[in-house]
């Protein structure tokens, strides 16, 4: 919902100020579905507000069904673009919502389905927030709550910084969604100004870096962003971030067969991240087929993993959710299909 437009409407109608708080509660805390559902409101006020979007996104489809551990929402913007949001229901009771920050992405990483789509437009803060609210509405029906939010859907969050930082404010503010910063993570392919701004404006929000290669040459081959922000400069920015925040940074590393998954690369990764000591955590990700590369097999993945582990770095392998429903990382292409 657009707060400014709604406030202007209330002023125009000379409605009392508390109507604003009531609507915020209805949208951000009770997850009601429309203005009409605010049962404490007089009918004429509900009717007047109908001209404003309650949820700017329309839920076009959920798949595969609400009982699965991973639910993909296909959402349609008012200008008829499709974006995707994924709810991951973990066995320990946490529910993570993976949200999109753009329609498409301009960064063109070779292994990513969103990247091959190209860029259409930025999502507004209200559109990004609405993905969380729509997910919360579905979870609410199952008597469950959103416990974590990750910016790992479509788009590069730090290419849409103003709207992403406004989203963070709305998600964390106790009068709005009210989720703690430590339950929110932003993943970036390495846009340095965004990393610097995160350290200043939201230092408690978790940072994840999509690293995917341990040296500049290889990184630039699979991630064009490395040409604009080199690995050296990225590592300097991460060190600065660590100095300011003292928060652990997660490095994501998608395993591409014969490309970045040899012991030589594992050793380079140890050299690159070793100096960050306990403030670096590596997360190996299984490559979800998008047609361009092949996934590393289990044996090779194990060797890579062990080499890094025995050198004292903190490392995990991401359990993959949602591959069957094409809701896994890098498979989000926002097409109206399942
Ligand atoms: N643009 C941001 C956030 C969205 S991508 C970023 O790149 O970090 C979320 C994660 O999925 C990133 O780590 C990304 O590199 C990874 N990813 C992209 N394509 C993938 C694929 N085909 N298989 C597995 N992970 C992939
Ligand atoms: Fe964009 Fe991230 Fe995909 Fe790269 S991995 S193309 S930055 S969404």
């Amino acid at each position: 919902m657009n707060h400014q437009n709604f406030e202007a409407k209330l002023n125009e109608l000379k409605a009392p100020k508390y109507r604003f708080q009531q609507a915020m509660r209805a949208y951000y805390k009770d997850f009601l579905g429309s203005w009409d559902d605010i049962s404490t409101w007089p009918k004429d006020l509900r009717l007047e507000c109908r001209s404003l979007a309650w949820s700017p996104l329309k839920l076009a489809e959920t798949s595969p069904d609400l009982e699965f551990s991973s639910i993909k929402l296909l959402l349609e913007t008012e200008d008829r673009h499709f974006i995707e949001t994924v709810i991951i229901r973990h066995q320990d009771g946490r529910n993570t919502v993976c949200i999109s920050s753009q329609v498409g992405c301009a960064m063109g990483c070779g292994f990513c389905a969103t990247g091959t789509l190209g860029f259409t437009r930025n999502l507004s803060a209200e559109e990004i927030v609405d993905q969380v609210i729509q997910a919360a509405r579905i979870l609410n029906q199952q008597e469950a709550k959103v416990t974590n939010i990750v910016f790992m859907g479509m788009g590069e969050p730090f290419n849409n910084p103003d709207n992403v930082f406004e989203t963070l404010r709305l998600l964390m503010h106790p009068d709005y969604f009210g989720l703690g910063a430590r339950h929110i993570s932003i993943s970036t392919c390495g846009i340095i100004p965004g990393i610097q701004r995160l350290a200043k404006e939201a230092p408690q929000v978790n940072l994840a870096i999509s690293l995917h290669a341990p040296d500049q040459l290889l990184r630039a081959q699979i991630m064009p962003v490395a040409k604009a922000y080199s690995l050296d400069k990225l590592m300097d920015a991460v060190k600065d971030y660590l100095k300011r925040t003292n928060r652990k940074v997660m490095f994501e590393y998608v395993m591409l067969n014969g490309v970045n998954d040899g012991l030589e690369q594992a050793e380079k990764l140890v050299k690159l991240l070793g100096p960050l000591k306990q403030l670096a955590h590596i997360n190996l990700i299984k490559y979800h087929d998008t047609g361009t590369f092949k996934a590393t097999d289990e044996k090779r993945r194990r060797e890579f993993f062990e080499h890094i582990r025995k050198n004292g770095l903190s490392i995990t392998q991401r359990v993959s959710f949602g591959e069957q429903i094409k809701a896994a990382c890098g498979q989000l292409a926002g097409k109206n299909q399942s």
Side-chain angles (χ1 to χ4, degrees), residues 39-54:
S39 56
T40 51
W41 273 18
K43 191 153 183 234
D44 53 347
L45 181 59
R46 286 185 249 162
L47 286 176
E48 282 288 350
C49 286
R50 270 194 192 167
S51 59
L52 305 173
W54 175 258

Side-chain angles (χ1 to χ4, degrees), residues 60 64 71 140 177 301 303 307 318:
I71 307 163
N140 199 37
F177 193 64
R301 188 146 53 120
E303 281 167 7
H307 183 83
R318 186 190 288 170

Side-chain angles (χ1 to χ4, degrees), residues 243-270:
K243 234 182 266 154
R244 275 175 180 274
T245 64
N246 208 35
R247 301 292 315 283
K248 196 175 231 180
V249 171
M250 173 144 86
F251 292 89
E252 292 160 280
Y253 199 96
V254 59
M255 299 292 282
L256 306 172
N257 187 45
V259 176
N260 65 355
D261 64 347
L263 283 179
E264 189 194 332
Q265 278 93 21
E267 182 51 29
K268 281 188 180 171
L269 202 53
V270 168

Side-chain angles (χ1 to χ4, degrees), residues 111-112 151-153 155-157 187-189 210 212 252 254 285-288 290 329-330:
F111 44 82
C112 172
F151 284 75
M152 293 189 187
E156 167 48 50
S187 176
T188 178
C189 64
S210 290
H212 307 320
E252 292 160 280
V254 59
I285 308 173
K286 182 171 168 235
Y287 168 62
H288 301 121
T290 56
C329 346

Side-chain angles (χ1 to χ4, degrees), residues 51-70:
S51 59
L52 305 173
W54 175 258
S55 269
L57 303 174
K58 197 167 93 194
L59 183 59
E61 203 177 291
T62 55
S63 61
D65 81 31
L66 303 183
E67 299 303 313
F68 273 63
S69 63
S70 176

Side-chain angles (χ1 to χ4, degrees), residues 26 156 174 230 240 304 322:
E156 167 48 50
S230 70
D240 262 8
F304 192 94

